[in-house]
Amino acid sequence: MFRISRKKVLSFLMTGLLVCGTASAAPADRETVNQVALLQSLAQGYFGGTVTVRQLRASGDIGIGTFHGLNGEMIVLDGTVYQALGDGSVVVARDKETVPFANVTFFDKDITRRLSDISTKEALEGLLNNIVKEQGENSFYMIKLPGTFSSILFRSEYGSEPPYPTLVKALEGKQTEFTHTDISGTMVGLYCPSYMGGLNTPGWHFHFISDDRKHGGHVLALSLKNGNLMVDKTDKFAMLLPADKDFQTLNLAKDMKEDIRRAEQDQQPAAQAR
């Protein structure tokens, strides 16, 4: 089993290469989705940070993820890493804050569409899936969707302390949800192909941040009035595997699909309207 030093972690993040043993230096690759750890490890309660926000920004200027202790939702937009906190507010994440899970890349616009009157999250996913089918279902896609939302429901969560629970248990006690109407902002989304089922979750995952940078989180439902969709198709993938004992003792063969589905989609009985 290879162990990854801090120096090699930084090398990975600066080059966009998978660090496993040694790797030759290269410029940061704009056509790679860089992933920190696994969604499956996060689902099992691996909430310890492995890289810093500063290091993460060297691997991409757009993306999604979370923070040490599952302390809020991450939205990476135009090179800034935002932290949506449990109370629904947003701050710029500190460079020294650590990250247990994230996906980032450098955004290069490949496809654009003008959207209007998208009534549900499922309808938006259907439209995006049509683009994926046209362009290639085995690639990765990152979207940037600035627009005006008739309504949007998103969640964030308060952080947990060790010993960490599973992701589902952490959300049961810490998750908060917020509904906003007639709000302008940007949705950042990642599409993972079907073969990523053991490393992430196949399909779409969306985070949102308002234009005034005061509100944001993980998107559960939406109605889009209008927006300008931009899509970045990416054909490379790299992953950092933490070397610490907590990660190395996880049973990553364990089926976490239902836990991940619940964490991604389930809503609390009532959200706070804003």
Side-chain angles (χ1 to χ4, degrees):
M1 181 69 68
F2 292 108
R3 294 189 65 82
I4 303 175
S5 68
R6 286 183 177 274
K7 183 176 180 181
K8 287 183 178 178
V9 167
L10 182 58
S11 175
F12 162 84
L13 290 163
M14 291 301 292
T15 64
L17 296 172
L18 172 65
V19 175
C20 186
T22 59
S24 57
D29 189 339
R30 297 187 64 86
E31 293 301 324
T32 296
V33 170
N34 294 299
Q35 179 168 301
V36 177
L38 292 77
L39 187 55
Q40 284 71 3
S41 59
L42 193 74
Q44 291 189 38
Y46 182 76
F47 300 165
T50 57
V51 299
T52 67
V53 164
R54 181 179 181 181
Q55 291 167 337
L56 188 69
R57 285 193 289 104
S59 262
D61 57 16
I62 190 170
I64 55 179
T66 188
F67 299 89
H68 185 97
L70 200 70
N71 186 22
E73 300 284 342
M74 177 189 293
I75 308 100
V76 185
L77 182 61
D78 299 329
T80 300
V81 179
Y82 297 97
Q83 183 175 11
L85 299 170
D87 63 0
S89 64
V90 174
V91 297
V92 175
R94 299 173 300 168
D95 274 353
K96 65 181 181 180
E97 187 76 40
T98 53
V99 178
F101 178 74
N103 288 96
V104 295
T105 190
F106 290 99
F107 194 83
D108 294 308
K109 181 173 59 179
D110 295 320
I111 303 159
T112 60
R113 298 280 172 86
R114 178 68 178 170
L115 304 183
S116 61
D117 300 323
I118 307 295
S119 59
T120 65
K121 177 171 170 280
E122 291 73 22
L124 176 62
E125 288 180 351
L127 184 151
L128 293 173
N129 286 337
N130 287 336
I131 294 175
V132 168
K133 288 177 182 178
E134 293 171 359
Q135 301 295 323
E137 294 181 86
N138 289 329
S139 295
F140 294 83
Y141 296 83
M142 192 74 78
I143 70 159
K144 183 189 298 186
L145 177 54
T148 301
F149 295 80
S150 302
S151 66
I152 188 164
L153 169 65
F154 53 82
R155 72 111 195 276
S156 193
E157 55 280 329
Y158 293 94
S160 297
E161 298 293 332
Y164 294 125
T166 65
L167 178 59
V168 167
K169 291 296 183 183
L171 292 176
E172 284 177 357
K174 306 280 188 175
Q175 177 173 324
T176 52
E177 297 176 3
F178 305 89
T179 298
H180 288 256
T181 57
D182 294 319
I183 185 171
S184 295
T186 299
M187 203 163 69
V188 173
L190 171 69
Y191 170 88
C192 287
S194 60
Y195 56 79
M196 285 289 292
L199 304 177
N200 204 312
T201 183
W204 292 98
H205 185 139
F206 305 116
H207 286 190
F208 170 83
I209 186 167
S210 60
D211 281 349
D212 61 11
R213 303 302 190 253
K214 292 182 178 180
H215 312 285
H218 169 92
V219 177
L220 295 168
L222 64 85
S223 175
L224 177 69
K225 186 178 295 184
N226 55 68
N228 293 307
L229 173 67
M230 293 168 276
V231 182
D232 181 9
K233 179 182 179 182
T234 302
D235 291 323
K236 298 178 187 177
F237 174 82
M239 183 170 65
L240 170 65
L241 298 178
D244 61 272
K245 183 179 178 181
D246 287 344
F247 180 86
Q248 294 297 335
T249 55
L250 291 173
N251 175 15
L252 293 174
K254 184 177 180 180
D255 186 353
M256 301 299 295
K257 290 187 180 67
E258 177 58 19
D259 277 39
I260 290 172
R261 185 205 65 77
R262 290 175 60 190
E264 292 288 304
Q265 300 178 19
D266 281 5
Q267 301 176 22
Q268 300 294 334
Q272 299 181 42
R274 296 293 177 93

